[in-house]
Amino acid sequence: MMAMKPMIVVGAGIIGLSCAWRLALRKIRVTIFDAGSAGGEASWAGAGMLAPGGEFAHASPLAPLALTSLALYPEFVDELRRETGQPIDYRECGAFEIARDDHEAGELEKRAVCQSALGIRSEPARWASAAAARFYPDDALVNPRDMVAALRVACSANGVIFHEREPVVEVFADGVRTARATYTDDSVLVAAGAWSSALAAPFHLPAVSPVRGHLISYEAAPGLLPAILRCGSTYLLQRENGTIVAGS
């Protein structure tokens, strides 16, 4: 079999680590760089909602990709658990979207019609003190910190070389320059999240900008919130260990 050429991955969040793992499984020598620790940015702080029902109100080129990704996620998590033996809090729990008044109820129904055309399923539901509610049975959640831990084990087991706390400052077609040195390889995959377009400016990637969010968590008894709960731009969800995450 022809030897696969080496590759650099820029960004060690869930996406970068997942790509590095998959490449390494195909016997590609992978070196991954991150400005901080692996999974230390959005992958550490994210709520972990896998929820097209909460993301797409209108037609978007990303909607079918999100639905396909959601359908593939259970198999992906199962494989990662088997390979690493690491626990991963992943649940296909569904989500409730509630409306507080008649105007929001009307908007919720309009949105449901548009989403149905995209393949996003929902159904009317009842929620105490809400003007209206819909349940999205396919929405799921995962603890991103569990994913980072498992992916790191999988990458290390398959020979991925980590360069943490070594920020990449420039990307070339065949390598990168960091604050310490220049590294060359056959190709580069940029998975640096909100920093991607700035790093790869010579290649004219679409502009990427971060979206600010706020999270707070509470310790609680497990099982209080069996599904994701959303209202407008706010949400509540509960981890398997009982931690409730409130976000906006």
Side-chain angles (χ1 to χ4, degrees):
M1 184 176 67
M2 186 189 315
M4 303 298 287
K5 295 181 178 179
M7 190 165 191
I8 288 171
V9 175
V10 181
I14 287 178
I15 299 299
L17 291 170
S18 297
C19 292
W21 175 40
R22 289 309 203 196
L23 291 165
L25 286 175
R26 287 156 179 78
K27 307 305 179 186
I28 298 172
R29 180 172 62 79
V30 181
T31 304
I32 189 165
F33 290 85
D34 199 278
S37 59
E41 294 290 340
S43 296
W44 185 254
M49 289 183 290
L50 308 169
E55 297 292 338
F56 300 100
H58 306 287
S60 164
L62 293 177
L65 296 175
L67 289 168
T68 300
S69 176
L70 181 63
L72 293 171
Y73 220 88
E75 182 180 349
F76 177 71
V77 170
D78 285 345
E79 184 180 350
L80 190 54
R81 284 173 177 152
R82 288 195 305 270
E83 174 154 337
T84 65
Q86 295 288 306
I88 299 173
D89 178 7
Y90 166 75
R91 280 168 291 143
E92 299 167 20
C93 57
F96 286 96
E97 186 98 27
I98 65 172
R100 295 165 293 187
D101 54 38
D102 290 342
H103 173 73
E104 287 186 358
E107 293 300 309
L108 190 58
E109 291 305 309
K110 291 178 186 177
R111 177 173 159 179
V113 171
C114 293
Q115 290 177 323
S116 179
L118 300 176
I120 299 172
R121 298 193 303 150
S122 68
E123 57 197 42
R126 296 181 63 85
W127 193 271
S129 73
R134 294 194 72 86
F135 181 63
Y136 290 79
D138 301 322
D139 285 5
L141 61 84
V142 69
N143 188 332
R145 298 184 183 186
D146 289 352
M147 291 295 290
V148 167
L151 284 165
R152 178 158 193 147
V153 170
C155 285
S156 296
N158 286 279
V160 173
I161 302 165
F162 282 82
H163 285 252
E164 296 177 90
R165 298 175 183 82
E166 187 171 353
V168 170
V169 296
E170 191 173 2
V171 174
F172 314 111
D174 60 349
V176 299
R177 182 169 62 85
T178 75
R180 299 177 191 169
T182 297
Y183 302 82
T184 57
D185 253 331
D186 184 65
S187 53
V188 180
L189 187 154
V190 179
W195 296 273
S196 294
S197 54
L199 285 175
F203 304 100
H204 306 292
L205 294 180
V208 179
S209 57
V211 176
R212 183 178 296 278
H214 300 275
L215 291 176
I216 188 169
S217 66
Y218 306 88
E219 296 305 315
L224 292 179
L225 278 177
I228 301 166
L229 177 61
R230 296 191 295 260
C231 182
S233 61
T234 62
Y235 58 85
L236 289 172
L237 58 86
Q238 189 170 31
R239 303 280 186 230
E240 199 169 45
N241 64 5
T243 300
I244 291 178
V245 176
S248 174

